[in-house]
Amino acid sequence: WAQAQDAAISTARAAGQVGEQADGYLGFVPGATISADLRGRVEQNNIRRRALYTQRATQRSASVNEMAAAVACEVFQGRIAVGERYRNEGGQWRQRTASSPVEVPSFCAD
């Protein structure tokens, strides 16, 4: 996952333009101004993630969606920084704050 990040995406995450989603992929926060370059970087990032999920799924006899969900759980449980936005399991965009923890998807093990 970390190898699939780049500086432009990290900056966009911090600026609230891009966020993690419960499906294991990055998404665009509604209302954010997204450049063509950033859109392309996010799409390439999601393609790399899908390839990684597919590889892991094959190795573990699981579905691609199961692997994406497993990674989403890891991300939601510890990789969304204060100030960053994320799309919860219900499809709503939220912002993590110091007083408001990330809404971890229901399919994640405690």
Side-chain angles (χ1 to χ4, degrees):
W1 177 84
Q3 293 176 345
Q5 281 286 31
D6 72 20
I9 291 174
S10 295
T11 299
R13 284 172 57 118
Q17 297 171 300
V18 173
E20 293 290 342
Q21 302 181 122
D23 65 0
Y25 297 94
L26 288 174
F28 302 107
V29 177
T33 301
I34 308 297
S35 69
D37 177 63
L38 180 58
R39 189 170 297 281
R41 288 174 185 266
V42 169
E43 289 170 2
Q44 286 302 310
N45 181 285
N46 284 338
I47 289 168
R48 287 191 299 271
R49 285 186 182 195
R50 179 145 182 100
L52 181 62
Y53 299 156
T54 300
Q55 178 186 11
R56 286 184 181 175
T58 300
Q59 293 169 344
R60 298 176 183 166
S61 299
S63 74
V64 173
N65 287 342
E66 287 171 331
M67 292 312 308
V71 172
C73 290
E74 291 177 24
V75 170
F76 273 62
Q77 291 170 338
R79 296 187 192 158
I80 297 175
V82 171
E84 290 184 347
R85 296 187 180 274
Y86 64 95
R87 189 174 182 188
N88 67 16
E89 186 178 9
Q92 294 87 28
W93 283 94
R94 303 280 191 240
Q95 184 173 27
R96 180 177 177 201
T97 65
S99 62
S100 177
V102 172
E103 298 171 31
V104 177
S106 65
F107 53 80
C108 298
D110 290 332

